[in-house]
């Protein structure tokens, strides 16, 4: 068992790819926002890449271990210390019963991932352990970790010899300064509702990531977008505002235009609603969203569906044991 | 209008949207649901899931199995194989849901919104009645409860049904709140556009609200047998009939729900035939009112 001494700001159990197959009942996939770092953390400790692990946001937890295990921390740097000794990121580390892992505020990136050998044991909800805390399902009691809770792991059987494995430098996501991000988008499904100028404005502007952003949506602050004829000349059932449309299914990653505020619908976002999504952020860009600081400047670059699929494939190929190196090799 | 050919557009690298038309026409939803049923039955490789809505269906596909162009071709073929929409028959359960119309809880919520956010907001039931040419709020309650509702889709929140009246004589429209409410009572029933919804939880919202049910429509704890296979009460293609009740009856059901003894009232043996439905609509006298 692992005792939660301090829960951190919002630390949740997630698995990858999350809760898939229930969108027609209104469920989002949940799962880790930066699934690149998440998958590598699991591979480091010998797990399947999608095994249940912790997502820590802004400030990580303090955990006390009552069993020996292997851990790996990836993603944001939350100055993790094990009994006071700094813990390297992107590396598997042996933890002994009685030791305490302490994480602080992130000094680089926003979301850190803590994988534990065997994966976290919790009751799957609709096929996934991912926490969807707004609805109180998945994870530990449906919510972010709380002080005094305990985590159990699926195994106590560890191979201590695999401690010290690292992720090859080139296989890690590069966070840069964290303040400027270039994010690919695919036009559609509702790009026809903007006019040419509206699309140009969106693709050329500097967008500021609002502090009112969380795992349901990332709000963007920037210029007003102009609409096409289609947004004005429409039946009354669409609603009266130009960005209103007859309620429709939302893709994960849809850039939802509610009035004039674009909101990127992310892992815990709504599955359906009555606003247009002129652009969609593809899978390959989600790690950037997961690591972007509020206040960061985002610029959007249009790519084709094929290009977006290739980029996602490239990241999946990177999250492979080929990029996990044994110490000293 | 109903498009001659369904229109496909990408939603990133894993989703696509199929639009059947750009109006709220039940027939478009029947198409989306028939496509979803065909996919469920045939399980074509690479199609992960679908989410039908009023006039469109969102499809989640696996690009490692099916490229975008391949997915569009596969779905076009499946749609073509469904035949004329009049021939569609769908499994459809009918739920009887008790509801207090013009109830004290939604009234209090609207008053709270008026006091804090928008002093000009007319009470929802009066506003919707006036917009739709009805005599008063009581008339709205009669018309709104006078029809079965078709569950076109679930979304926005787990288990939240987007529904349309099957009886065209009960068709009402209402704009959404601007700005939206910060809270809505759990179980509130309301309308936006031409759609009716039930709020599964206390949630923010934009629909005009004028009734409330004591019956849970989702249950993560599965306290009632009806949730055995799904934690959401409804699925697309179900029908809902609101049964107006008093505040006393509401409290009676509420106590039963709390005690775990409430019995969900539903009919499970019916199929919905688009052809029969259309014939019935044709036969109606639209001058009749409720």
């Amino acid at each position: 068992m692992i005792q939660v001494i301090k829960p951190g700001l919002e630390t949740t159990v997630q698995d990858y790819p999350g809760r898939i197959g229930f969108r027609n009942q209104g469920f989002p996939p949940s799962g880790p926002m930066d699934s690149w770092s998440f998958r590598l953390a699991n591979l480091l400790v010998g797990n399947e890449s999608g095994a249940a692990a912790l997502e820590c946001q802004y400030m990580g937890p303090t955990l006390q271990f009552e069993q020996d295990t292997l851990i790996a921390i990836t993603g944001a740097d939350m100055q993790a210390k094990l009994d006071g000794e700094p813990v390297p990121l992107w590396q598997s580390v042996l933890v002994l019963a009685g030791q305490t892992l302490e994480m602080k505020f992130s000094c680089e990136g926003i979301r850190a991932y803590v994988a534990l050998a065997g994966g976290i044991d919790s009751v799957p909800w609709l096929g996934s352990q991912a926490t969807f805390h707004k609805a109180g399902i998945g994870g530990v009691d449906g919510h972010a970790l709380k002080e005094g809770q305990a985590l159990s792991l699926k195994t106590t059987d560890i191979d201590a010899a695999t401690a010290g494995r690292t992720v090859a430098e080139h296989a890690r996501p590069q966070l840069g300064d964290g303040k400027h991000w270039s994010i690919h988008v695919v036009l559609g499904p509702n790009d026809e509702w903007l006019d040419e100028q509206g699309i140009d404005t969106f693709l050329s502007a500097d967008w500021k990531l609002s502090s009112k952003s969380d795992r349901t949506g990332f709000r963007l602050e920037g210029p007003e977008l102009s609409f096409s004829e289609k947004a004005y000349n429409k039946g009354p059932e669409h609603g009266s505002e130009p960005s209103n449309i007859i309620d429709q299914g939302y893709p994960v990653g849809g850039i939802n235009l509610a009035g004039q505020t674009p909101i990127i619908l992310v892992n815990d976002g709504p599955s359906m609603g009555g606003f247009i999504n002129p652009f969609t952020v593809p899978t390959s860009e989600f790690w950037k969203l997961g690591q972007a600081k509020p206040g960061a400047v985002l610029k959007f670059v249009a790519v084709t569906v094929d290009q977006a699929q290739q980029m996602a494939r490239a990241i999946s190929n990177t999250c492979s044991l080929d990029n996990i190196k044994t110490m000293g090799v | 209008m109903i498009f001659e050919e369904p229109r496909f557009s990408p939603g990133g690298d894993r989703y696509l949207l199929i639009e059947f038309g750009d109006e709220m026409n039940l027939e478009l939803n029947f198409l989306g649901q028939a496509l979803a049923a065909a996919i469920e039955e045939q399980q074509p490789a690479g199609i992960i899931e679908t989410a039908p809505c009023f006039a469109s269906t969102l499809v989640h596909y696996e690009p490692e199995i099916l490229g975008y162009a391949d997915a569009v071709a596969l779905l076009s073929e499946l749609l073509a194989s469904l035949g004329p929409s009049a021939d569609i028959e769908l499994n459809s359960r009918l739920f009887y849901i008790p509801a207090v119309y013009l109830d004290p809880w939604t009234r209090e919520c609207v008053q709270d919104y008026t006091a804090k956010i928008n002093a000009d907001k007319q009470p929802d039931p009066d506003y919707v009645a006036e917009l739709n040419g009805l005599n008063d709020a009581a008339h709205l309650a009669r018309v709104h409860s006078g029809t079965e509702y078709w569950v076109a889709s679930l979304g926005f929140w787990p288990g939240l049904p987007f529904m349309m009246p099957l009886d065209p004589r009960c068709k009402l429209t209402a704009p959404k709140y601007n700005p939206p409410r910060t809270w809505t009572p759990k179980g509130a029933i309301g309308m936006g556009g031409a759609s009716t919804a039930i709020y599964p939880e206390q949630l923010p919202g934009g629909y005009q609200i004028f009734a409330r049910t004591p019956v849970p429509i989702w249950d993560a704890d599965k306290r009632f047998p009806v949730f055995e296979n799904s934690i959401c009460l409804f699925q697309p293609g179900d029908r809902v009939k609101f049964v107006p009740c008093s505040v006393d009856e509401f409290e009676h059901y509420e106590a039963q729900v709390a005690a775990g003894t409430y019995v969900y009232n539903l009919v499970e043996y019916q199929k919905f035939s688009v052809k029969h439905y259309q014939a019935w609509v044709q036969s109606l006298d639209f001058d009749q009112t409720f």
Side-chain angles (χ1 to χ4, degrees):
Chain A
M1 296 287 265
I2 297 158
Q3 299 296 332
V4 179
I5 308 297
K6 286 183 192 166
L9 202 59
E10 189 186 304
T11 305
T12 53
V13 174
Q14 299 295 345
D15 62 11
Y16 174 82
R19 195 166 285 106
I20 303 297
F22 301 93
R23 206 149 184 83
N24 67 350
Q25 292 179 22
F27 286 93
S30 302
M33 286 214 55
D34 172 2
S35 64
W36 184 349
S37 298
F38 181 91
R39 284 180 277 180
L40 287 169
N42 268 319
L43 292 176
L44 280 168
V45 297
N47 293 348
E48 293 290 324
S49 62
L54 296 176
E55 177 177 271
C56 316
Q57 305 190 88
Y58 297 95
M59 186 180 77
T62 299
L63 305 172
Q64 191 178 31
F65 291 79
E66 295 177 349
Q67 67 184 80
D68 297 355
T69 189
L70 283 168
I71 67 166
I73 305 174
T74 62
D77 184 354
M78 296 189 181
Q79 307 160 69
K81 287 181 178 164
L82 190 61
D83 282 353
E85 289 296 317
V87 179
L89 297 180
W90 309 102
Q91 184 172 325
S92 60
V93 174
L94 180 67
V95 178
L96 300 174
Q99 289 194 302
T100 300
L101 176 74
E102 188 184 13
M103 295 169 76
K104 301 269 192 194
F105 272 101
S106 61
C107 53
E108 190 191 38
I110 292 298
R111 289 175 177 83
Y113 295 93
V114 184
L116 304 124
I120 294 167
D121 195 15
S122 68
V123 183
W125 268 102
L126 302 177
S128 166
Q129 291 171 257
T131 309
F132 176 37
H133 72 94
K134 292 230 165 180
I137 62 165
V140 182
D141 296 338
H143 292 280
L145 295 190
K146 295 188 181 84
E147 188 183 323
Q149 283 177 333
L151 299 170
S152 46
L153 302 183
K154 288 185 177 165
T155 182
T156 50
D157 190 21
I158 54 159
D159 180 4
T162 59
R165 297 204 294 183
T166 59
V167 175
E169 194 78 36
H170 69 86
R172 307 173 188 179
Q174 298 302 316
L175 304 189
D177 67 358
K179 292 175 191 150
H180 297 85
W181 296 90
S182 170
I183 311 266
H184 294 124
V185 289
V186 177
L187 264 71
N190 308 124
D191 50 312
E192 286 177 3
W193 291 62
L194 298 184
D195 63 6
E196 211 169 304
Q197 193 195 334
I199 290 177
D200 283 350
T201 303
F202 181 80
L203 293 173
S204 57
D206 284 346
W207 293 92
K208 194 174 134 194
L209 179 60
S210 160
S211 58
K212 284 186 279 180
S213 297
D214 60 21
R215 285 180 45 96
T216 58
F218 277 43
R219 284 167 184 267
L220 303 175
E221 293 166 7
E224 298 219 332
L225 301 178
S226 51
F227 295 92
S228 68
E229 195 60 21
K230 186 171 177 161
Y232 295 102
N233 287 334
K234 58 187 175 188
E237 60 261 63
H238 287 279
S240 50
E241 300 288 323
S243 65
N244 285 154
I245 190 169
I246 293 174
D247 290 274
Q248 58 170 356
Y250 288 163
V252 177
I255 299 185
N256 195 240
L257 203 54
Q260 274 291 355
T261 306
I263 302 174
I264 310 175
L265 306 172
V266 292
N267 301 49
D268 290 352
S271 60
M272 204 162 264
F275 293 103
I276 55 168
N277 299 301
F279 309 92
T280 305
V281 176
T283 317
S284 63
E285 308 305 289
F286 268 64
W287 72 269
K288 298 178 187 171
L289 300 178
Q291 300 298 356
K293 285 188 174 75
V297 173
L298 311 186
K299 285 201 86 141
F300 294 98
V301 180
V303 294
T304 65
V305 174
D306 284 349
Q307 287 170 327
Q309 291 176 345
Q310 277 166 28
M311 290 185 291
R313 192 172 303 133
I315 292 176
S316 288
N317 291 340
T318 300
C319 297
S320 113
L321 284 174
D322 295 342
N323 288 319
I324 304 295
K325 305 292 177 198
T326 312
M327 197 76 151
V329 176
Chain B
M1 89 179 172
I2 299 178
F3 302 147
E4 214 148 285
E5 292 290 330
R7 296 182 187 172
F8 293 83
S9 40
D13 57 329
R14 306 182 62 85
Y15 294 88
L16 61 83
L17 186 71
I18 314 174
E19 291 173 279
F20 302 112
D22 65 355
E23 61 184 37
M24 274 175 98
N25 178 324
L26 275 168
E27 231 167 283
L28 301 180
N29 184 256
F30 296 151
L31 258 177
Q33 295 210 18
L35 175 66
I39 287 171
E40 182 76 28
E41 196 187 297
Q42 299 176 26
Q43 306 273 332
I47 303 293
I48 297 171
E49 58 184 328
T50 64
C53 205
F54 295 117
S56 61
T57 289
L58 184 79
V59 178
H60 181 191
Y61 65 101
E62 176 50 66
E64 292 308 304
I65 299 176
L66 217 50
Y68 177 71
D70 299 333
V72 169
L74 186 149
L75 292 161
S76 303
E77 209 170 298
L78 258 177
L79 277 165
S81 75
L82 296 176
S85 61
D87 291 344
I88 293 170
E89 286 196 353
L90 297 158
N91 290 321
S92 175
R93 302 176 299 174
L94 173 60
F95 287 83
Y96 293 96
I97 299 290
V100 183
Y101 277 85
L102 315 179
D103 63 289
W105 307 283
T106 57
R107 189 185 311 135
E108 187 199 347
C109 171
V110 176
Q111 282 166 354
D112 184 60
Y113 177 86
T114 312
K116 291 177 185 158
I117 298 177
N118 182 358
D120 297 332
K121 179 76 182 81
Q122 209 184 337
D124 297 13
D126 303 336
Y127 178 55
V128 179
E130 192 182 302
L131 277 177
N132 288 279
L134 304 176
N135 301 333
D136 52 21
H139 193 187
L140 168 69
R142 284 201 301 283
V143 172
H144 190 268
S145 63
T147 175
E148 284 177 6
Y149 286 86
W150 174 256
V151 178
S153 64
L154 275 79
F156 178 70
W157 185 263
L160 187 149
F162 286 97
M163 304 183 288
M164 289 177 71
L166 281 167
D167 188 331
R169 294 168 299 180
C170 297
K171 196 174 170 184
L172 301 165
T173 54
K176 294 171 190 172
Y177 270 50
N178 186 18
R181 277 185 308 276
T182 53
W183 68 283
T184 312
K186 177 179 178 173
I189 296 162
M191 296 193 50
S195 135
T196 283
I198 307 173
Y199 288 80
E201 283 293 332
Q202 179 163 324
L203 293 170
Y207 277 22
Q208 308 284 337
I209 48 174
F210 43 76
R212 189 179 180 216
T213 179
V215 174
I217 61 165
W218 86 301
D219 180 5
D221 299 328
K222 302 193 174 195
R223 290 170 62 237
F224 300 91
V226 69
F227 294 103
E228 193 182 329
N229 295 321
S230 169
I231 63 176
C232 302
L233 185 61
F234 304 120
Q235 55 195 41
D238 283 337
R239 284 164 298 145
V240 172
K241 179 78 175 71
F242 294 112
V243 182
C245 72
S246 66
V247 170
D248 282 350
E249 286 167 311
F250 181 101
E251 285 169 352
H252 175 74
Y253 293 132
E254 197 177 37
Q256 285 186 328
V257 167
T261 57
Y262 179 76
V263 178
Y264 280 82
N265 187 348
L266 72 152
V267 168
E268 287 192 88
Y269 53 81
Q270 296 175 344
K271 261 196 181 246
F272 184 87
S273 150
V274 172
K275 196 180 289 170
H276 293 170
Y277 169 68
Q278 286 168 338
W280 174 71
V281 169
Q282 291 294 321
S283 75
L284 293 176
D285 175 359
F286 284 80
D287 293 331
Q288 276 180 347
T289 51
F290 287 91

